[in-house]
Every structure is written in structure tokens, then in C-alpha cells.
Amino acid sequence: MNLEGRFDTRCIHAGQSPDPNNGAIMTPVYFTSTYVQEGIGQNKGFDYARVRNPTRDALEGNLAALEGGAHGMAFGSGMAAVQAIFEQLSSGDHVVLGDNVYGGTFRLLDKVMTRFGLTYTQVDTGDLAAFKAALRPNTKLVMLETPTNPMLGLTDIPGVRQVMTVMGSKAVLAVDNTFATPYNQRPLELGADLVFHSTTKYLNGHSDSIGGIAITNREDIAEGLRFHQKAAGGILSPMESWLILRGTKTLHLRMERHNASALTLARWLEARKDLKAVYYPGLESHPQHALAKQQMKGFSGIVSFDTGDAERTRRMASSFKVFSLAESLGGVESLVCHPASMTHGSVPEADRQRLGINDNLLRLSVGVEDVQDLIEDLERVLKV
């Protein structure tokens, strides 16, 4: 269904139509590896499930519509989507990588893709002068994350695009929008060529699916990524596609609650005197708060804070009752993470320290529970 509608309506309907065989309103899970053909060279648009699957088609159309894109390509994980993006490059190409991207993205580029001749420069993309200095004639990809994980720094996406234009750079500008979600931020409308997500997080929203998506308005980029789906086979399964489609039907409702509760928690944490720092773009004290208001509709559900003491942090992490100590984020349940030993354990210690990802830091993924229960859980563990 090519639906023109407001965001909330697209969450529920975009990419999907009632089943033509029986009128089922929910997209079926098409468990099939192959399709009967009407004759040699004659089919109904489907020949082998690695290439296309109707359930995956529906998800790709839905997520593309939410991001304001024309093409969506779904992969078996967020990292499979990132690898597909990297593998559009050739030996000798250069990548400008944000200095606080997800640790798995850094690990893939640093430990794997460099073995095949890619080079990279890591830079604070929030510093446009530093970003400009990092561009090279052979830069073919700029990959950034905004807000960043876990320090919640922002990048001015239109500003980056303007620098690239002035410098004559033809590199693809790719933005990881996992933290913000298309509810809060749409990078394609801000100048990005490509936006990608770990659908495992907010898009699914229920901590029961692994997946990734890449979305673009450029036919050439879409063609390359679709070929990668077919050639490399890292596609999303029908069941995972259905689970994420179920999740996006409530994305707008969930994000309203994530946004509101995270802001309440961040303000409560900032008012305390026993914490070293609180990081959340919705706080007026955040150094990029003005940019956040300009570029984002809401500030999402991630709050990080520095307790000032590593031992206290470890005691706290294992003492929560409502928050659960776990990897990942973006589900309806609240999670707490120790980034230095969990999500960013593969980042060199010197880089972690420079970025502020020290042993004192905890990252909260604020769920949709009663916010007062979350505050009481935090208040209790802060006394441990």
C-alpha cells in the first residue's frame, strides 16, 4: 500500500494491504523458500525467497515510508546492514567514521573491513571543522550516529551535508538513526543519502527480534544494497519481519512515552548532588540542546550518567529491581547497561576514556513503565 498520510497513520498501514486471497488485515508470515512459476521466465514477481519475500516486502515498504524514503532493504541484523553498506566500497576507498558510533560498527570497520583495503578516519562529526579536515579525495562514505551511543552527542546533519557540498565530496552520507527513530528525526529530510537502523531496538520495541534496515531515496544506492541481499544472503527472515511490523504499529505511541519518561528521569537525575554528570539532549544543560530542538521532534529514551565512582557504579548495576542489567535498548521494558564493559568493550580503552565512556558510566534505556516506579528504583540503588 503506497499510503500518503501522517506519521501515525503510516506506522499502522504503510507497506501493507489486506491479503488478496482472504482479506486478512494482518500481513501473513510467508514461510516459503520458493515460488511456483507460471512458465519459463514467468512469475508473479517472486522466484526465490532470498531475493524477495512478501512479508519482508511489507516491512521494507513500511519502514521506508516512516523515514520518508523510497527504498528499504532489510537485513538479518543491524550489523548485517552496516556490513552491506561497507561492502558497497572498494579497496583503497576511505571512510569518515564518527568517533562515538556503536562499538560493533567500529569493530567491523577496524578489525574486518580494513583487511580488504578500506581506510578510515575517526572524527567528532559534531565538530564541523574537524569533519572538514577529515575528508579526503578518496572518501566514499561518511558514516555517523546522532545521537551517539552512549554519550548522546549530536551531529548537525545539514551542516555536514553543507561541508561535503562545499568540498565537492561525492561520498555517501549515511546516518545511524537507531537511537532517535524516525518518530523523532528523519535524516533523509536533513540531507543524508542513506539512513540505517538496528530494528532490534525501538522499531521492534519488544526485545524479541533481531534485524536491520537501510533506507534511501537514491536508486543507485538501493540497487547496490538489493544486489548485496541477493548475492550475500544476509536477509531478514519472514518471522522477524512480521515481528517488527507488529512493533511499528505502536511506534508513535511508545516513543511519546519513551520521550516523556526519559526527560523526567534526566531532570530528576540532574537535580541530584551525588552524580558527576547526566547526559540527555533534552536537558537545557546539554551543550547541543539547541541543535537537538532544531533537528529532533523529541529526545528519545536513552539517558546516561556518570556516578563518579567505578565501584559504586558496579554495585548499582546489579541492584536494580525494575531496570534489568542487559545489552540492547529500545524495548518496552527498562534496561541498564555498563557501556565500558558491554556495548563498547571492543573500543580501545584510551578512546573510551577520551569519549567519557569510563567505568563510572551507566546507560539507561527508559521503557514505558510508570515513571514514578523507575524513579523509585533509581533512588534506591543510588543509596547502595
Side-chain angles (χ1 to χ4, degrees):
M1 177 183 291
N2 295 319
L3 182 76
E4 294 294 334
R6 293 172 177 82
F7 186 88
D8 295 7
T9 304
R10 280 181 278 153
C11 282
I12 296 168
H13 296 290
Q16 303 154 85
S17 298
D19 186 88
N21 296 316
N22 53 39
I25 196 167
M26 296 301 294
T27 301
V29 186
Y30 285 91
F31 286 124
T32 184
S33 61
T34 192
Y35 307 85
V36 174
Q37 302 192 28
E38 299 167 339
I40 296 175
Q42 297 178 324
N43 60 53
K44 297 178 180 179
F46 300 87
D47 55 11
Y48 192 62
R50 174 163 34 84
V51 182
R52 285 187 69 192
N53 174 280
T55 315
R56 193 173 81 234
D57 277 6
L59 175 68
E60 290 173 338
N62 179 261
L63 296 182
L66 297 186
E67 281 287 6
H71 312 283
M73 287 65 61
F75 295 86
S77 68
M79 289 313 304
V82 172
Q83 181 164 8
I85 295 168
F86 282 147
E87 290 186 353
Q88 302 305 298
L89 306 179
S90 301
S91 180
D93 288 346
H94 176 254
V95 178
V96 174
L97 187 71
D99 68 349
N100 191 200
V101 296
Y102 170 55
T105 300
F106 166 80
R107 178 176 58 221
L108 177 62
L109 181 57
D110 183 65
K111 300 295 191 295
V112 179
M113 302 310 301
T114 54
R115 292 161 47 197
F116 299 94
L118 296 187
T119 61
Y120 73 94
T121 301
Q122 227 175 344
V123 67
D124 177 5
T125 52
D127 181 340
L128 294 180
F131 169 70
K132 180 179 178 180
L135 286 172
R136 299 180 185 174
N138 65 331
T139 300
K140 297 299 176 63
L141 175 67
V142 174
M143 181 174 281
L144 60 90
E145 182 177 339
T146 181
T148 61
N149 176 17
M151 301 308 295
L152 300 162
L154 271 65
T155 292
D156 180 349
I157 299 173
V160 165
R161 170 54 71 192
Q162 184 177 14
V163 169
M164 293 173 68
T165 300
V166 170
M167 294 291 288
S169 175
K170 301 298 184 183
V172 170
L173 174 55
V175 176
D176 184 342
N177 202 32
T178 299
F179 266 35
T181 80
Y183 181 82
N184 288 319
Q185 175 176 268
R186 286 190 281 281
L188 296 179
E189 297 173 4
L190 297 171
D193 299 299
L194 178 65
V195 60
F196 61 97
H197 293 259
S198 167
T199 61
T200 310
K201 313 304 193 296
Y202 286 109
L203 297 182
N204 168 259
H206 294 79
S207 302
D208 57 9
S209 170
I210 297 286
I213 189 79
I215 299 164
T216 184
N217 279 313
R218 284 178 46 176
E219 181 63 43
D220 59 329
I221 295 175
E223 183 178 353
L225 290 171
R226 287 199 184 103
F227 177 79
H228 194 281
Q229 285 181 307
K230 177 178 180 179
I235 46 86
L236 192 66
S237 76
M239 190 68 221
E240 302 286 350
S241 298
W242 186 90
L243 286 168
I244 301 161
L245 270 176
R246 178 211 54 189
T248 60
K249 289 185 183 298
T250 59
L251 177 65
H252 54 301
L253 302 175
R254 290 184 287 106
M255 292 314 301
E256 286 181 6
R257 185 63 169 265
H258 289 304
N259 289 347
S261 293
L263 181 58
T264 298
L265 277 183
R267 286 176 171 162
W268 182 85
L269 287 167
E270 188 178 46
R272 296 184 65 91
K273 305 300 182 183
D274 57 346
L275 297 177
K276 184 177 180 180
V278 179
Y279 306 98
Y280 186 67
L283 294 175
E284 291 77 4
S285 58
H286 191 285
Q288 296 168 301
H289 179 64
L291 175 61
K293 289 196 298 181
Q294 175 184 329
Q295 189 164 275
M296 303 176 72
K297 174 183 175 180
F299 310 112
S300 205
I302 306 299
V303 181
S304 296
F305 63 96
D306 187 327
T307 71
D309 180 85
E311 183 55 39
R312 180 192 188 200
T313 301
R314 291 187 177 278
R315 289 197 308 271
M316 288 175 56
S318 59
S319 301
F320 284 94
K321 299 299 183 184
V322 182
F323 287 88
S324 297
L325 180 63
E327 299 263 8
S328 200
L329 58 102
V332 292
E333 65 289 318
S334 292
L335 302 178
V336 59
C337 168
H338 185 247
S341 64
M342 297 168 74
T343 57
H344 287 66
S346 62
V347 176
E349 183 176 0
D351 291 339
R352 292 202 307 268
Q353 293 297 327
R354 175 176 55 81
L355 294 168
I357 308 173
N358 55 46
D359 289 338
N360 308 337
L361 189 75
L362 289 176
R363 186 194 74 187
L364 304 177
S365 174
V366 181
V368 298
E369 302 95 339
D370 188 295
V371 70
Q372 190 58 41
D373 288 330
L374 299 178
I375 288 174
E376 290 173 5
D377 199 29
L378 277 164
E379 187 168 33
R380 183 181 55 76
V381 300
L382 284 165
K383 296 176 181 177
V384 172

